[in-house]
Amino acid sequence: MKADIFLGETKVVFCETFFSFFEDLLKLSEPIVFITDHNVKELIGSSIQRLLQEKKRSVFLISIPPGEASKSREIKEWIENELFSIRFPKDGSIIALGGGVVCDMAGFVASTYMRGVSFYSIPTTLLAMVDASIGGKTGINTSFGKNLLGSMYPARQVWICPQFLESLPKREWLNGLSEIMKIGFTLDPELLSLATKKMDQIVIFRSCLAKKQVVDEDYQDRGKRRILQFGHTIGHALEKISSYQLSHGEAVAKGMAIEGFLSYTLGYLSKNKWDSMREILKSCGFSFQVDPKISFSQIQESLEMDKKGTDQRGRFVLLQDFGVVVPFQGEYCTHVDDKVLCKAWEWLKSCPI
Ligand code: ADP
Ligand code: ZN
């Protein structure tokens, strides 16, 4: 399958092998800088660099340590200094090559370097293919929370090539699956069964297509796009509290369980659907267990910096049915009474697995 979709200004190209888009890379303006991490450099980056150099292209590779801790101001500064040291010009091309960490960081660097240089993306994790590389959000973390500094800077082109997933560890599959389940619960319920049966290019394509629908309608994230934050209010809080030891996908799965509990307890979601939601999440391999030492007040404190929040209180995306989010007068999220939220948290803490 080779197909293209446009997501805002971004051309998203789906291709089976690297060689079906190599020609596209040859057309980019030089020099080309790949921003990647040490693992992806070894697995993929160095070979791509060599192939392009064989075609006489000027190519550099900037590699950062893998992991969420690299989404920091310090690493951003280090990358910028590397770009200055090679005298990287405004008309060069920056390509993110890696997972969500690399895509978020490289996009942010590209958006501020000389007030913006051409940016492209080659996601190499499932999560980055279905979420981080498309939609234009870039960002880094601070000690106050996740993705609190960043910009909207869509890649000109994104090449999605599942061939790169062959080396992906299981934990990283789960990370991506969590975002696909999120899209299933909120936008495209057929994905819930498709993705649990067989993870293939169709599932990736369909997830991107569903994301496109909301991003095209609300690029600036002021309403409908918040649907994509299902599970993320508590998810981001848990990631931060765990100092990013908990992966994004695991944290979002627990966050979806909390929002499922809230949707059911507040009378929006039927008991059947709530039961089925827990079953689906468990069958994917997600655990609802949380560190028993985390107190409710720690959660509340982390929610103060929720980007959807108002009055320093987080807001939650709730379900009415699979594929239907409660619209809340176009806000697509709502405050929840502290007592109800505390009950949801206690429920999660009591889950045996
Ligand atoms: P995510 O995409 O989930 O946000 P990261 O960008 O942190 O996550 O990538 C997760 C981990 O997977 C990192 O250690 C990264 O080096 C590694 N990784 C990325 N792509 C691949 C791949 N195709 N094969 C194996 N490991 C990969
Ligand atoms: Zn996410």
Side-chain angles (χ1 to χ4, degrees):
M1 180 177 109
K2 184 156 191 320
D4 302 345
I5 56 173
F6 275 88
L7 210 136
E9 298 157 33
T10 308
K11 183 177 181 187
V12 186
V13 182
F14 295 83
C15 27
E16 248 151 56
T17 67
F18 167 70
F19 289 101
S20 44
F21 72 87
F22 184 58
E23 290 290 315
D24 292 346
L25 301 184
L26 294 174
K27 293 180 200 142
L28 300 184
S29 67
E30 296 172 71
I32 298 169
V33 165
F34 285 94
I35 298 180
T36 188
D37 71 29
H38 301 338
N39 296 335
V40 181
K41 177 184 171 182
E42 288 297 312
L43 286 164
I44 308 163
S46 300
S47 326
I48 298 186
Q49 183 182 31
R50 205 170 41 248
L51 288 168
L52 285 166
Q53 282 170 341
E54 279 167 15
K55 298 283 181 188
K56 307 281 176 267
R57 295 302 185 275
S58 163
V59 189
F60 298 88
L61 229 146
I62 297 178
S63 170
I64 61 177
E68 193 69 30
S70 282
K71 270 175 64 172
S72 68
R73 287 160 163 161
E74 292 75 21
I75 297 280
K76 180 170 186 271
E77 184 182 350
W78 179 81
I79 295 172
E80 288 157 350
N81 288 340
E82 290 291 293
L83 291 169
F84 292 132
S85 72
I86 58 167
R87 308 289 185 265
F88 184 71
K90 190 167 166 62
D91 60 353
S93 307
I94 289 185
I95 308 182
L97 175 72
V101 166
V102 162
C103 292
D104 285 358
M105 170 61 92
F108 192 25
V109 168
S111 74
T112 58
Y113 187 83
M114 295 190 183
R115 299 206 185 94
V117 294
S118 297
F119 175 56
Y120 303 86
S121 185
I122 306 176
T124 63
T125 63
L126 183 60
L127 182 136
M129 288 183 191
V130 298
D131 198 46
S133 70
I134 56 171
K137 285 189 180 178
T138 79
I140 58 174
N141 309 327
T142 76
S143 59
F144 292 90
K146 174 134 171 148
N147 295 339
L148 292 183
L149 293 174
S151 58
M152 299 300 280
Y153 200 68
R156 291 184 176 205
Q157 206 156 327
V158 178
W159 294 277
I160 295 186
C161 177
Q163 188 189 20
F164 295 137
L165 299 177
E166 283 162 16
S167 51
L168 204 65
K170 179 163 182 272
R171 190 172 185 221
E172 297 308 325
W173 277 100
L174 271 186
N175 237 349
L177 185 59
S178 177
E179 297 288 357
I180 294 172
M181 289 293 121
K182 170 196 82 181
I183 291 173
F185 287 126
T186 54
L187 292 164
D188 182 359
E190 270 187 54
L191 273 175
L192 298 171
S193 53
L194 283 178
T196 39
K197 272 189 214 116
K198 186 170 180 257
M199 181 59 67
D200 59 11
Q201 210 179 11
I202 303 290
V203 171
I204 297 172
F205 182 74
R206 223 173 141 130
S207 302
C208 293
L209 212 56
K211 177 161 180 175
K212 171 187 159 61
Q213 281 159 18
V214 281
V215 172
D216 280 352
E217 225 177 288
D218 174 29
Y219 178 68
Q220 291 298 339
D221 209 5
R222 304 222 164 92
K224 206 161 190 187
R225 186 170 177 167
R226 292 189 182 130
I227 289 176
L228 299 171
Q229 288 291 306
F230 182 59
H232 283 61
T233 307
I234 291 288
H236 281 165
L238 288 174
E239 273 185 278
K240 188 200 149 221
I241 293 168
S242 80
S243 304
Y244 301 99
Q245 292 307 300
L246 194 64
S247 77
H248 181 66
E250 286 164 326
V252 167
K254 296 176 206 296
M256 289 194 282
I258 287 267
E259 286 180 352
F261 181 99
L262 293 173
S263 305
Y264 166 63
T265 307
L266 294 169
Y268 297 107
L269 190 68
S270 72
K271 174 145 188 348
N272 269 353
K273 286 291 161 77
W274 168 225
D275 289 345
S276 144
M277 191 181 160
R278 294 195 312 281
E279 282 313 308
I280 294 170
L281 286 172
K282 280 185 193 159
S283 75
C284 292
F286 294 114
S287 150
F288 297 165
Q289 264 184 339
V290 285
D291 180 349
K293 291 194 287 298
I294 304 174
S295 66
F296 182 58
S297 56
Q298 267 178 292
I299 296 285
Q300 278 176 308
E301 194 191 314
S302 294
L303 294 181
E304 286 172 9
M305 293 302 283
D306 175 34
K307 291 193 285 311
K308 308 177 287 310
T310 55
D311 306 327
Q312 294 184 16
R313 288 176 66 216
R315 291 197 290 176
F316 298 84
V317 179
L318 302 185
L319 292 182
Q320 205 163 298
D321 196 353
F322 290 171
V324 189
V325 166
V326 188
F328 294 115
Q329 286 87 36
E331 293 288 309
Y332 292 92
C333 59
T334 184
H335 289 299
V336 168
D337 184 81
D338 278 347
K339 280 198 197 104
V340 183
L341 185 58
C342 186
K343 210 169 124 191
W345 177 245
E346 291 305 324
W347 165 76
L348 194 71
K349 267 185 149 176
S350 71
C351 286
I353 52 160

